[in-house]
Amino acid sequence: SAKTVGDTLTAKGVNWVWYAGAWKAAVTDGTQDPSLARSVIYNSAAGAANFQAHHQPFNYFTRFDPTTSTGQAERAAHLKDYTDLQSDIANGTLPPVVFYKPQGSLNQHPGYTDIMSGDAHIADVIAKLQASPQWKNMTIIVTYDENGGFWDHAAPPKADRWGPGTRLPTIIISPYAKKGYVDSTPYDTTSIIKFITRRFGLEQLPGARKVVSDLSNAFDLSQQ
């Protein structure tokens, strides 16, 4: 029941969508008789989507309770499939804020997938976005969850008892991004939330770290 960035966006009248690879197939898979084996959710067999349910954060908030009519409406409006993302990109109908999580077989996670397939997939998504009629007003942030590896030669900065931890890759692709620039400003995952909050004038969420920036230094403000 905690407040999320989805809540603050909705409160401000800013539309948003969480797109997930294999979402529709996973919903069908997860609502069948519990005695039947799952073919999509946590299925790492060759050729399976291997949908990771715990990678879908909004799914666990009461606002999206599928047993209520309100929750069903919220899910239909904000929780969508990769096929919907492809259609919205091509049609130039992406909402102002988009989150996208690839299906498990394409998320580059060690142990059940590989690097190459994920790289090829995200390159294809970015190419589609750059060909979109909305590209001229777009910012793409490509990043990873948790740590970027088990070893880092640079000690992480001190923020609070939870981190930040070791560094992880983050790439900003945008007509407004500084060109050929490696940004050394201290950021963490909540910097993305802070960036969205600043861009749309949202209510600030308490989980965003005060000691990290909001990605602004990565952009050439003269291009705006």
Side-chain angles (χ1 to χ4, degrees):
S1 60
K3 187 174 291 185
T4 73
V5 67
D7 296 324
T8 58
L9 284 164
T10 298
K12 195 73 173 184
V14 180
N15 192 20
W16 63 276
V17 172
W18 174 281
Y19 298 94
W23 172 256
K24 292 178 181 177
V27 170
T28 299
D29 194 41
T31 52
Q32 64 179 334
D33 190 290
S35 65
L36 300 176
R38 298 294 182 257
S39 61
V40 178
I41 302 173
Y42 299 123
N43 184 342
S44 59
N50 198 8
F51 183 87
Q52 305 288 304
H54 65 284
H55 288 178
Q56 315 301 318
F58 295 107
N59 186 51
Y60 297 94
F61 285 83
T62 55
R63 185 174 194 137
F64 303 97
D65 182 352
T67 66
T68 68
S69 58
T70 300
Q72 292 168 11
E74 290 285 340
R75 292 171 79 84
H78 300 294
L79 307 184
K80 299 187 179 183
D81 192 79
Y82 176 58
T83 57
D84 300 312
L85 175 62
Q86 291 176 297
S87 176
D88 287 341
I89 291 173
N91 296 329
T93 54
L94 289 170
V97 177
V98 166
F99 304 95
Y100 171 54
K101 178 70 177 181
Q103 63 190 49
S105 63
L106 297 172
N107 70 11
Q108 301 183 315
H109 198 288
Y112 58 77
T113 186
D114 62 273
I115 300 296
M116 185 63 71
S117 60
D119 276 353
H121 175 68
I122 198 63
D124 180 64
V125 173
I126 291 169
K128 286 182 170 64
L129 288 167
Q130 291 178 317
S132 164
Q134 294 173 284
W135 165 244
K136 65 181 183 298
N137 297 314
M138 189 180 296
T139 290
I140 305 169
I141 302 170
V142 181
T143 192
Y144 294 77
D145 65 344
E146 299 164 356
N147 50 19
F150 294 105
W151 182 86
D152 193 343
H153 72 278
K158 179 66 176 177
D160 56 38
R161 63 181 294 188
W162 305 115
T166 54
R167 293 177 296 180
L168 52 89
T170 301
I171 304 172
I172 294 177
I173 306 159
S174 172
Y176 302 107
K178 291 179 180 178
K179 304 300 186 290
Y181 179 72
V182 177
D183 191 357
S184 299
T185 307
Y187 299 122
D188 75 353
T189 305
T190 66
S191 295
I192 300 173
I193 301 297
K194 294 178 77 171
F195 175 71
I196 296 171
T197 297
R198 176 176 178 178
R199 167 63 182 84
F200 295 100
L202 309 179
E203 174 188 348
Q204 295 186 10
L205 293 170
R209 283 197 176 95
K210 296 180 180 178
V211 297
V212 296
S213 188
D214 61 8
L215 304 182
S216 295
N217 192 52
F219 295 92
D220 181 356
L221 300 183
S222 68
Q223 298 297 314
Q224 296 185 14

